[in-house]
Amino acid sequence: MVGITNNFNIKTKALWAKKRVIDGLPYWLPLLTHLKDTEKVIVQLYNHWLSNSQRRLLETNFGEEKVLSLISFIGLTHDIGKATPAMQTKPSFGNTSEENNNLDNELIMKLVHSGFNDLQDLQLASRKASPHALAGEAILLAYGVPASITAIVGGHHGKPLNETPDEDIEQHTKNYWQSDHDQSVQSCWQQVQRQLFEYGLTSAGFKSSQEIPQIDQVQAVLLNGLLIVADWLASSENLNDDINKPLFPLIKISCGVDDIDEEQRFESAWLTWQLTNEWEPQPVSLKPDPYQIRWQFSARPVQRTITEAIEAAIDPGIIIIEAPMGLGKTETALLAAEQVAYKKGQNGLFFGLPTQATSDAMFDRVTQWMQYLIRENATSQSVKLMHGKSQFNQGYQNLPDAKDALEMDDEGQSNIVINQWFSGKKAILDEFVIGTIDQLLLLSLKQKHLVLKHIGLSKKVIVIDEVHAYDAYMNQYLYRTLNWLGAYHVPVIVLSATLPKAKRKTLIEAYSAGKNQGEIQATDNSWQETDAYPLVTMLDGSKINQITQFIGKNDQQKQRITVERFTIADEALIDDILAKLDGGGIAGIIVNTVKRAQTIAQLVPVDIPMIVLHSAFLAPDRATIEQRLQATIGKNGQRPEKMIVIGTQVLEQSLDIDFDILYTDVAPIDLLLQRAGRLHRHQRKRPIKLRAPNLIVMGIEQDHHYGQGNEAIYQRYLLMKTDYYLPRILVLPDDISPLVQAVYDSKNDPDIVGLVEEKQVFDKRIAQAKEKANTYRIKKPSYRRRADLHGWLQQAQSMVDKDEQRANAAVRDIEESLEVVLLIKQGQHVTLLNGQSLAVDLLDAEARQIAQQVVRLPNAITRGQISKAIEILEQRTANHFASWQESRWLKGTLVLLLDENSHTTFLDSDITYSNRYGLSFIKKGEDND
């Protein structure tokens, strides 16, 4: 830091920011160096990593120069709280070895020799009361820095303080100045703190703290996130722990701040870290046909009209696309993402879906589209698949690592790559992210490091698929998320085939509340009430635009489906199916519970080809089943002469499959329509008996009863209205919107005995869901003057930033459950369920294969006993597989051992696994029925 350090005294130069023993030798990093590293990184991230839209938002009211000065100041002072005796005498982390003790003592004596007399004798009774982030905020407050800025420093380790630490210096004076009363001792610390503060101030271009601007809460969240990213990067010694890829390494203890070439250090680190460039969206040309260029098919009228409307928009905000299944909403959304990214200045994409299965299916479609972007822009792009099983998605795992691709790519060829730096909490920061909707809803859950989700998602265009699939509890997080996305002016594209108009209205209003503080300009309220279909509703600035007319020939054929109600015993059900398949065909059976799927499957004669799919299969078995389904009854599948497919709700969401006849348990109308979308999905020749599509709805009993299992999953109020409005002839897509609006609009409640009472139950449960969600949900963005981050995460959920299952449960309101690896144990011999033996010393590939043998235990097995279940499984796993804790794939895994018949008894359940039926169980004392 030649030229810079001349302004500092020897005391300031002796302060350390980091220390560590490496290969038996002591290393350290001067505080001055880390502050300068962070300042350079945060400015570079601002200029070359943030999106244009994020920069515009931060520059609102200030301009670029002032904001650059502010972020420079934040970078240079974020760790000023380390310039305290509480920090400088803190022992090395996690290890009391002699080497660490020697390192600690050597650094303290360096400080003593620089002028901090008697520091080696300091005893602090309350060191933990003033952690360095809190201390930094307290010091900056004392210098008159605005609270909206100090809160960023106080929260730079993931959680802002609940209130300003105005009195901490007075209450814990010794932590800051080494002595409670001796001013000669205190002055040494006051001098270095003042020197660091004034250095940050003048280097940033401010003459006094009064020139530092006040920022609003939305800007504060983004700056807090930017600082955390910069601090993490500036604290990384190597790229992804690769010692051959140094970033900001420590230096030998014999060296000092004057020995460091700061410019060269930063430039080398940035070149090493920047493995891919940010996406730079280009304008979308409407001629020639952009769909033909990207996907080799001509745009349908609906697609062309939507694309033209978005192109004409000035300030597109939230865009809701309601259109039938199979119309190409995904391609429309991806093209729309290109358009709005260019218009709004976004540089990434998040595509959110209901389940892991739908995310996996969408991953292939998004990466296919990304290949077009890469060809056009001639630059590699990084992608992330975000859900708990992404490590087992073969297509994702086959992508090259960004740093390896860079080294191998001598010809400058661009690729889709995985950038490993964006992993764990940093995953949401990646450019292109496909994942479960939880990853988006977590934007509104109080948790440590929440600002990372905000800065990561506010860079992107957001696509939300199948928005109708989320329940009342999840919707509360969705609406709050839209408040914040609106505040960031993030374009959001919402897709649904079956959206109630009340939810459409709420989605628009939630987004507008953030972007325009609720202002919506419309000529009248007809946009709220229309049941036109297809329908596009777009908020352009504060103005509502709706598209109801789509000119041109539609190639999507209308479909007349005969609807039958069916209430017979399961044995008779199988007889009916076999009779209808007498001339061949594919029959689908979609039921509402895994247990019912298994019960029906076991009644199918063994000579009839059958596939069963639900959530209680091992991950590899489920992947195999899904591949088999696509290969047989997918769009281009080789259809067998006859087959029965039995599954749960997974069949209605994730797979492009086609039934000749469909049986389904009763469900709310939107889900029935989704299921009906799997019936005669593609144009093909069908068996004579099944040429006319037939939907058979099971479980509708007399007196508006629908069976205990169905009513445990779906609200009886919705089932009663679905039963009432479900026609004998269903015309798709014409009937979709009218039916959905009829069932979900309470103004259309028919005069049915008991419906009023069921509506009260329904409303009460929604109110309970809202109240429960509010406990850990962040507040709406505040536009009050001087609103800051203090108390923003008060009463935050603990550990959800480290535990994905706990985080998902928090935004889905689901019971905590357990995932286990299933293995077979015969005597002392342990195998996979396919009979493959396990090696004593596992190779990495073998450990990964074992980790894939995972299934989630049904809640009924562990309900009320989950702590006991965990304790038992942890003990058994430790007894049999202690070495697994060293494996990156198997650490923390819980194993459930089955006998040679794939059976075991656990807690009070008899459990069996079959690759035909999945995991099944019988509670002791429970009838097999």
Side-chain angles (χ1 to χ4, degrees):
M1 296 178 69
V2 179
I4 296 175
T5 59
N6 294 337
N7 301 320
F8 294 102
N9 62 33
I10 189 173
K11 297 186 188 72
T12 308
K13 293 180 182 181
L15 298 169
W16 60 268
K18 300 181 183 302
K19 56 182 176 176
R20 190 160 72 90
V21 174
I22 304 174
D23 296 330
L25 299 175
Y27 282 75
W28 77 309
L29 190 69
L31 178 57
L32 279 169
T33 300
H34 176 63
L35 293 176
K36 191 60 183 176
D37 287 345
T38 307
E39 187 257 350
K40 284 184 169 294
V41 170
I42 198 171
V43 169
Q44 190 79 351
L45 289 172
Y46 181 85
N47 286 323
H48 300 287
W49 182 73
L50 287 189
S51 67
N52 290 336
S53 65
Q54 287 174 314
R55 285 193 290 271
R56 279 198 303 270
L57 192 149
L58 289 171
E59 291 166 11
T60 301
N61 301 326
F62 308 118
E64 180 182 11
E65 185 177 351
K66 194 98 170 194
V67 172
L68 281 169
S69 293
L70 177 59
I71 66 168
S72 179
F73 173 78
I74 290 172
L76 288 169
T77 59
H78 79 284
D79 265 351
I80 195 171
K82 287 185 175 180
T84 61
M87 180 67 190
Q88 293 298 308
T89 60
K90 185 178 179 180
S92 294
F93 176 73
N95 193 344
T96 57
S97 69
E98 183 178 353
E99 289 177 338
N100 277 339
N101 288 334
N102 290 339
L103 171 61
D104 295 342
N105 292 333
E106 193 165 352
L107 286 172
I108 288 176
M109 293 313 297
K110 183 190 289 280
L111 289 162
V112 171
H113 294 149
S114 73
F116 293 105
N117 296 330
D118 302 322
L119 185 62
Q120 74 276 21
D121 299 323
L122 179 64
Q123 298 294 320
L124 294 174
S126 56
R127 182 197 307 274
K128 293 182 179 179
S130 307
H132 77 266
L134 181 152
E137 177 167 3
I139 292 168
L140 293 178
L141 277 170
Y143 289 135
V145 177
S148 62
I149 306 303
T150 67
I152 294 170
V153 171
H156 83 268
H157 281 287
K159 189 173 183 292
L161 302 177
N162 290 334
E163 56 189 11
T164 54
D166 304 276
E167 301 177 356
D168 198 64
I169 295 178
E170 182 179 347
Q171 292 173 346
H172 304 102
T173 306
K174 202 172 181 180
N175 287 347
Y176 290 82
W177 299 333
Q178 193 175 332
S179 171
D180 287 325
H181 306 291
D182 191 331
Q183 292 186 1
S184 64
V185 174
Q186 293 177 349
S187 65
C188 290
W189 293 99
Q190 292 166 349
Q191 183 184 44
V192 296
Q193 291 164 11
R194 168 64 71 176
Q195 196 169 56
L196 289 172
F197 171 70
E198 290 184 347
Y199 169 61
L201 203 64
T202 56
S203 296
F206 297 121
K207 295 178 181 178
S208 71
S209 58
Q210 282 70 40
E211 292 186 359
I212 299 173
Q214 278 276 10
I215 59 175
D216 65 33
Q217 189 183 57
V218 174
Q219 293 170 320
V221 173
L222 292 184
L223 284 180
N224 194 182
L226 184 64
L227 174 59
I228 290 176
V229 177
D231 189 29
W232 278 357
L233 178 51
S235 298
S236 300
E237 296 175 37
N238 306 299
L239 181 64
N240 306 327
D241 297 324
D242 183 348
I243 60 173
N244 296 313
K245 300 282 185 182
L247 291 176
F248 296 95
L250 307 189
I251 61 175
K252 293 179 179 179
I253 203 163
S254 58
C255 298
V257 65
D258 294 318
D259 300 308
I260 297 173
D261 184 335
E262 185 64 41
E263 291 297 327
Q264 189 277 331
R265 174 181 170 88
F266 166 73
E267 289 174 7
S268 174
W270 183 260
L271 288 173
T272 301
W273 178 78
Q274 194 178 32
L275 298 175
T276 60
N277 294 316
E278 297 303 305
W279 177 35
E280 296 183 5
Q282 303 300 310
V284 173
S285 174
L286 301 188
K287 291 182 179 181
D289 185 347
Y291 290 87
Q292 188 70 48
I293 293 172
R294 289 158 180 77
W295 295 287
Q296 291 75 57
F297 66 78
S298 297
R300 288 169 160 163
V302 172
Q303 293 173 318
R304 183 175 61 252
T305 304
I306 294 172
T307 302
E308 290 172 350
I310 293 173
E311 194 61 30
I314 298 171
D315 180 20
I318 185 170
I319 304 166
I320 301 177
I321 301 173
E322 301 173 56
M325 300 74 75
L327 191 68
K329 291 190 293 295
T330 296
E331 289 77 15
T332 306
L334 291 173
L335 188 57
E338 288 186 58
Q339 293 178 286
V340 296
Y342 175 75
K343 285 177 174 285
K344 299 298 291 287
Q346 307 299 102
N347 60 6
L349 172 80
F350 174 85
F351 208 121
L353 300 112
T355 65
Q356 292 180 2
T358 50
S359 300
D360 282 339
M362 188 57 65
F363 177 78
D364 294 335
R365 299 175 73 177
V366 172
T367 50
Q368 178 190 2
W369 166 72
M370 287 178 63
Q371 291 286 2
Y372 165 80
L373 299 182
I374 287 172
R375 289 195 302 272
E376 288 298 297
N377 299 322
T379 180
S380 293
Q381 302 290 347
S382 178
V383 69
K384 193 69 63 180
L385 179 61
M386 281 190 73
H387 62 64
K389 298 292 182 296
S390 62
Q391 69 270 36
F392 303 130
N393 181 294
Q394 200 59 52
Y396 180 54
Q397 292 302 317
N398 286 341
L399 292 175
D401 184 284
K403 66 182 179 66
D404 295 336
L406 192 66
E407 291 170 356
M408 294 185 299
D409 193 7
D410 296 329
E411 300 178 1
Q413 183 177 353
S414 301
N415 298 293
I416 299 175
V417 297
I418 297 175
N419 189 336
Q420 298 292 353
W421 195 84
F422 295 111
S423 60
K425 297 171 187 174
K426 304 190 293 290
I428 199 65
L429 304 176
D430 213 341
E431 296 163 281
F432 294 88
V433 179
I434 303 99
T436 51
I437 193 65
D438 316 80
Q439 308 301 333
L440 178 65
L441 301 186
L442 287 170
L443 184 86
S444 295
L445 180 71
K446 292 180 181 178
Q447 58 181 297
K448 195 174 181 182
H449 292 113
L450 178 61
V451 292
L452 292 180
K453 297 189 182 300
H454 281 246
I455 197 167
L457 287 165
S458 60
K459 287 164 55 72
K460 299 176 173 64
V461 176
I462 307 297
V463 180
I464 305 172
D465 199 9
E466 305 204 49
V467 74
H468 55 270
Y470 311 128
D471 61 23
Y473 180 87
M474 295 174 70
N475 281 336
Q476 304 314 305
Y477 282 97
L478 176 59
Y479 300 148
R480 184 55 43 82
T481 294
L482 287 173
N483 294 157
W484 280 90
L485 293 176
Y488 297 130
H489 294 224
V490 171
V492 178
I493 302 164
V494 177
L495 308 179
S496 178
T498 54
L499 187 66
K501 59 187 178 185
K503 188 166 185 178
R504 176 204 310 147
K505 175 176 179 287
T506 307
L507 292 169
I508 293 285
E509 290 175 341
Y511 184 89
S512 178
K515 182 178 181 182
N516 306 311
Q517 298 188 52
E519 180 188 358
I520 296 177
Q521 297 178 10
T523 55
D524 53 41
N525 291 330
S526 60
W527 72 272
Q528 303 176 19
E529 299 298 327
T530 182
D531 60 359
Y533 195 79
L535 176 68
V536 178
T537 306
M538 176 166 56
L539 191 65
D540 188 358
S542 60
K543 182 182 177 183
I544 286 285
N545 291 331
Q546 276 193 327
I547 305 168
T548 59
Q549 299 296 319
F550 303 90
I551 299 171
K553 185 178 179 181
N554 193 342
D555 64 349
Q556 194 172 36
Q557 301 294 318
K558 289 187 180 181
Q559 194 174 42
R560 291 175 58 85
I561 300 173
T562 301
V563 179
E564 299 179 35
R565 289 165 166 79
F566 208 57
T567 305
I568 57 175
D570 291 339
E571 292 82 357
L573 167 64
I574 297 300
D575 292 339
D576 186 81
I577 293 171
L578 294 176
K580 287 188 168 65
L581 295 184
D582 184 48
I586 312 297
I589 308 174
I590 301 179
V591 296
N592 293 333
T593 66
V594 171
K595 200 153 206 174
R596 177 157 160 74
Q598 292 169 332
T599 299
I600 293 173
Q602 289 167 351
L603 297 173
V604 175
V606 294
D607 61 332
I608 301 295
M610 179 185 71
I611 296 177
V612 182
L613 180 63
H614 49 67
S615 59
F617 280 98
L618 292 178
D621 287 347
R622 178 165 172 171
T624 300
I625 294 167
E626 290 180 353
Q627 290 168 6
R628 186 182 167 200
L629 277 170
Q630 295 288 13
T632 52
I633 61 172
K635 184 173 184 178
N636 300 309
Q638 299 299 310
R639 295 171 77 84
E641 179 182 350
K642 181 185 299 185
M643 188 164 70
I644 297 175
V645 177
I646 304 170
T648 55
Q649 293 88 337
V650 296
L651 291 177
E652 81 192 27
Q653 292 178 333
S654 58
L655 300 168
D656 183 8
I657 51 179
D658 180 358
F659 299 122
D660 295 316
I661 186 170
L662 179 61
Y663 295 74
T664 171
D665 277 349
V666 67
I669 190 67
D670 51 329
L671 303 185
L672 286 184
L673 292 168
Q674 289 285 338
R675 296 175 188 185
R678 268 62 185 165
L679 181 61
H680 288 218
R681 188 175 179 89
H682 303 298
Q683 297 296 318
R684 66 175 80 250
K685 186 177 180 181
R686 307 207 181 256
I688 294 175
K689 284 187 176 182
L690 304 177
R691 284 181 179 171
N694 195 2
L695 177 69
I696 298 153
V697 181
M698 305 178 290
I700 299 178
E701 303 172 3
Q702 291 183 346
D703 301 323
H704 308 295
H705 291 286
Y706 305 96
Q708 185 177 358
N710 295 329
E711 291 182 16
I713 298 170
Y714 302 117
Q715 291 289 301
R716 190 158 175 254
Y717 167 72
L718 295 178
L719 295 179
M720 290 173 74
K721 291 193 69 177
T722 297
D723 183 11
Y724 180 86
Y725 284 108
L726 185 65
R728 295 181 183 275
I729 300 295
L730 181 63
V731 181
L732 299 183
D734 295 8
D735 288 344
I736 291 177
S737 184
L739 284 174
V740 170
Q741 309 318 327
V743 170
Y744 280 92
D745 190 343
S746 60
K747 297 174 185 176
N748 299 320
D749 283 3
D751 186 12
I752 303 174
V753 175
L755 187 65
V756 172
E757 291 76 12
E758 290 302 329
K759 177 65 162 58
Q760 292 172 348
V761 173
F762 178 75
D763 289 343
K764 182 178 179 180
R765 290 193 180 179
I766 289 180
Q768 290 171 338
K770 289 181 179 179
E771 183 178 358
K772 185 175 182 181
N774 209 40
T775 304
Y776 294 114
R777 194 175 55 154
I778 61 172
K779 293 180 179 180
K780 293 179 181 180
S782 175
Y783 296 97
R784 289 185 299 105
R785 182 172 172 78
R786 299 184 182 277
D788 56 41
L789 295 184
H790 291 111
W792 190 55
L793 299 183
Q794 195 165 10
Q795 296 180 319
Q797 274 269 42
S798 61
M799 299 302 291
V800 294
D801 61 319
K802 299 179 180 178
D803 186 331
E804 181 171 1
Q805 182 180 332
R806 185 174 292 184
N808 294 347
V811 295
R812 285 186 183 260
D813 192 26
I814 54 178
E815 285 185 74
E816 187 177 1
S817 57
L818 293 181
E819 281 192 338
V820 297
V821 164
L822 295 185
L823 299 174
I824 299 287
K825 187 173 187 294
Q826 302 181 56
Q828 298 302 310
H829 191 54
V830 179
T831 68
L832 302 183
L833 269 66
N834 63 8
Q836 180 181 328
S837 297
L838 302 187
V840 176
D841 298 318
L842 294 172
L843 298 175
D844 189 72
E846 293 171 326
R848 181 175 182 270
Q849 185 181 11
I850 294 170
Q852 289 179 297
Q853 314 303 308
V854 67
V855 68
R856 189 172 298 281
L857 292 180
N859 289 328
I861 294 177
T862 58
R863 184 170 290 128
Q865 305 181 83
I866 195 154
S867 296
K868 180 180 178 181
I870 293 172
E871 183 180 349
I872 292 171
L873 292 172
E874 283 182 339
Q875 187 60 54
R876 291 180 183 176
T877 304
N879 290 344
H880 291 92
F881 310 104
S883 63
W884 284 13
Q885 294 306 307
E886 306 301 318
S887 168
R888 64 181 178 129
W889 297 108
L890 298 173
K891 185 177 182 180
T893 293
L894 299 176
V895 176
L896 184 64
L897 292 171
L898 310 180
D899 62 22
E900 61 271 19
N901 298 313
S902 298
H903 170 268
T904 192
T905 298
F906 181 64
L907 298 178
D908 54 356
S909 295
D910 288 322
I911 300 173
T912 303
Y913 186 83
S914 157
N915 60 12
R916 182 174 172 85
Y917 302 113
L919 186 141
S920 57
F921 71 98
I922 299 174
K923 301 280 284 188
K924 291 180 180 177
E926 180 183 279
D927 228 354
N928 201 13
D929 299 339

